[in-house]
Structures are given as C-alpha cells and as structure tokens.
Amino acid sequence: MKRACVIGWPIKHSRSPLIHTYWLKQHGIDGHYDKRAVPPEGLEDFLGSMADDDLVGCNVTVPHKEAVFEAVRVEDEFTERLGAVNTVYFKDGTLIGTNTDGIGFLQNLTNGSPDWSATAGPAMVLGAGGAARAVVAMLLSSGVAEIRVANRTRERAEILADMFTPHAVTVPWDRRDAALEDCALLVNTTSLGMTGSPPLDIALDCLPAAATVNDIVYAPLMTDLLSRAAARGNPVVDGLGMLLHQAAPGFARWFGPTPKVTQELRDLVVRDLEATR
Ligand code: ATR
C-alpha cells in the first residue's frame, strides 16, 4: 500500500487528509494519507526515515516549508526562487521537493475567472508572507507585467518586490485604496478577513469594474472583501480552490492519476470547515 502524509507543527487543522482520502477512494487506489505532527527538532529524523516508513512522499506545511527546502533536492526554478517546499516525493531513491502553491493559485484563478488575462493590466497583491511570494512568482511566470505589493510592514513588501524586480513594485499600506486604479486583479494574501482575524480594510472605489478579486482566505468562503467586490459587479474567486488545486500535483506524483477538483470535493471540505468552525 502506498502511503503519504502531511507534516506540520501544529497539524490538527489540516484538510489535506480529507482531500487526498477522497481522491484515493474516487480512483479506487489502495493507498493511505494521514497527518503527522512533526516538531522542528524532529524534521531531520522524519525526512531520513520516510523510506523506512514506507512513505512515497509528503506535503509540508507551517513551519517546515523553508527547512525542507534546505534539506531536499529541488529541481525546478519556481521552487528555487521561492525557497519553500510544500510537496516532497522520491525520484530514484532521492527526496525531491517542489512547491505547488503557485500552480494551485493560478488554476483556481483561471477556473474561477476565465475572463481574467495576465495581459489585462497590473495586479495588486496584499501581504508579503509565504503565500504572497508564491502568488507574485506565479503571476510573473504567467506574464503579468506589473505587480503592486502592499503590506503593513513595508520592509517585508520591499524584500518581496526586490526578489521580482523590476516587475514587482511596492505600494505603501496606507495608499492601497488609490493603488487599485487600473488594476485587472486584486489578491488578498493576508490573514485579514479570516474567521477570528480583524477585517480587511480596503475601499474598492478605484478598482475597475472588470477586475477580478481573489481572496486566499477560505474561512469564511465568502469573505467581506469578496462580498463587497461581488456587490459592485467584480468577478470574484474564493480561496478554497487554491487549497484543492495545490494538492493535485502531489497526489499525481505519489499515486499516479491526476485527480480532479470536483464540486463534490469542494462541498466535502466546506462541510468540514463549517463543522469545525
Ligand atoms: P503566510 O506565509 O501564510 O502568507 P505570514 O507570513 O504570517 O503568512 O503573512 C501574513 C500576512 O498577513 C503578512 O503580510 C502580514 O503583514 P506583516 O508582514 O505586516 O505582518 C499580514 N497581516 C497579518 N495581520 C495583519 C494586520 N492586522 N494588518 C495588516 N496586515 C496583517
């Protein structure tokens, strides 16, 4: 039986087992996927004993993404640039690390807003953490010419923009409203608007009506940002799809088939999110 898992510290709230177990069942694969709480001091041992534990790979979440990047072989430029790994698999006995957050973001965006195009105009990204980095890198790879990054801590925005200069530029946090002018896309990668976090304070008046608004927060599914954007007619894309789409490449590596993100899977995860709120 093929086994995979997700590691993190803490790991209790991960939905990855729900997603992968659904796909295993759907494809009739005799496999298993669970979650393992691995503290930072246990990471090296975990990676070293994966083969002995009969694991074909794992997903990696907070706080291990950077440490795993340092510990395994990385073969793709996108992950190399990000410096963070969320998916690990074996190739000829060697552990390979990759990052599927960017592709998950892009697939969710293009599925949810088919009319969005990379050449339609600048993108505005709120936040400068790990998620923002994956989003900015992916938008650049898909051909967006200008990305405006606004973050409460200006220094973090500058570090991020410098990584992707000259296409990424910073916008002061207190000028985020006006900077929405002529944007074709707004992405919130901060934790603002999430259940239990403060609301995201941003006025959308300057945002063109055709611009797509994407929130990577998925609890609640319809954030205040998305409902305000939808009310003024902007196409909106919720964050759940990113979580589902980033999981698919790992599943394909470990178990074979490329799984589909279905409405049934979305409903399953939504019900689980609601039950544990
Ligand atoms: P991740 O790696 O998941 O993106 P993170 O690194 O903790 O998570 O980033 C969270 C983002 O939310 C950051 O951009 C953070 O801004 P700072 O860099 O200034 O910390 C942003 N954020 C969190 N709480 C915020 C708040 N109350 N106001 C504004 N931004 C906030």
Side-chain angles (χ1 to χ4, degrees):
M1 183 198 274
K2 285 184 173 178
R3 289 175 186 278
C5 66
V6 55
I7 60 163
W9 185 257
I11 197 61
K12 204 169 148 223
H13 297 293
S14 173
R15 263 75 192 193
S16 293
L18 189 65
I19 298 166
H20 288 284
T21 303
Y22 168 85
W23 283 332
L24 284 168
K25 210 170 140 195
Q26 212 192 27
H27 289 274
I29 294 171
D30 181 25
H32 188 77
Y33 185 105
D34 59 16
K35 48 190 166 196
R36 306 208 183 168
V38 175
E41 61 276 16
L43 185 62
E44 205 182 316
D45 275 356
F46 170 82
L47 293 172
S49 59
M50 278 178 69
D52 290 341
D53 285 351
D54 286 334
L55 286 166
V56 291
C58 67
N59 280 126
V60 180
T61 187
V62 181
H64 299 315
K65 290 185 179 188
E66 287 81 13
V68 173
F69 173 82
E70 298 299 334
V72 302
R73 193 154 118 196
V74 169
E75 294 184 329
D76 65 289
E77 201 186 316
F78 183 82
T79 307
E80 198 67 62
R81 233 175 160 183
L82 283 188
V85 157
N86 77 340
T87 304
V88 170
Y89 57 95
F90 282 97
K91 193 170 106 183
D92 304 327
T94 301
L95 277 182
I96 310 290
T98 189
N99 193 306
T100 65
D101 285 335
I103 193 74
F105 160 76
L106 191 68
Q107 279 181 356
N108 183 40
L109 179 64
T110 50
N111 279 6
S113 182
D115 289 339
W116 174 80
S117 106
T119 52
M124 171 91 161
V125 174
L126 303 175
R133 215 191 281 187
V135 166
V136 171
M138 200 65 213
L139 288 175
L140 279 183
S141 311
S142 46
V144 176
E146 182 189 339
I147 300 173
R148 301 170 186 167
V149 181
N151 191 53
R152 175 182 57 179
T153 309
R154 179 83 191 254
E155 198 191 1
R156 287 187 88 195
E158 271 158 11
I159 292 169
L160 175 57
D162 283 351
M163 285 173 69
F164 302 101
T165 190
H167 298 286
V169 294
T170 61
V171 167
W173 184 243
D174 59 8
R175 272 186 253 150
R176 59 195 181 283
D177 299 352
L180 292 175
E181 198 180 344
D182 72 15
C183 280
L185 176 68
L186 165 63
V187 185
N188 173 45
T189 77
T190 75
S191 48
L192 297 171
M194 194 188 294
T195 310
S197 295
L200 170 61
D201 180 15
I202 186 166
L204 299 178
D205 309 77
C206 295
L207 187 71
T212 297
V213 179
N214 173 214
D215 205 330
I216 70 162
V217 168
Y218 56 81
L221 213 49
M222 198 60 172
T223 58
D224 172 66
L225 170 68
L226 293 183
S227 42
R228 286 192 291 123
R232 65 196 291 282
N234 292 93
V236 299
V237 181
D238 69 52
L240 182 59
M242 179 172 171
L243 175 76
L244 304 177
H245 282 287
Q246 63 78 32
F251 186 93
R253 290 269 185 204
W254 309 319
F255 300 115
T258 298
K260 285 206 165 54
V261 173
T262 60
Q263 187 61 41
E264 189 185 34
L265 174 60
R266 266 185 72 91
D267 293 345
L268 183 73
V269 179
V270 167
R271 276 199 303 278
D272 188 65
L273 287 168
E274 281 168 356
T276 51
R277 201 162 40 191

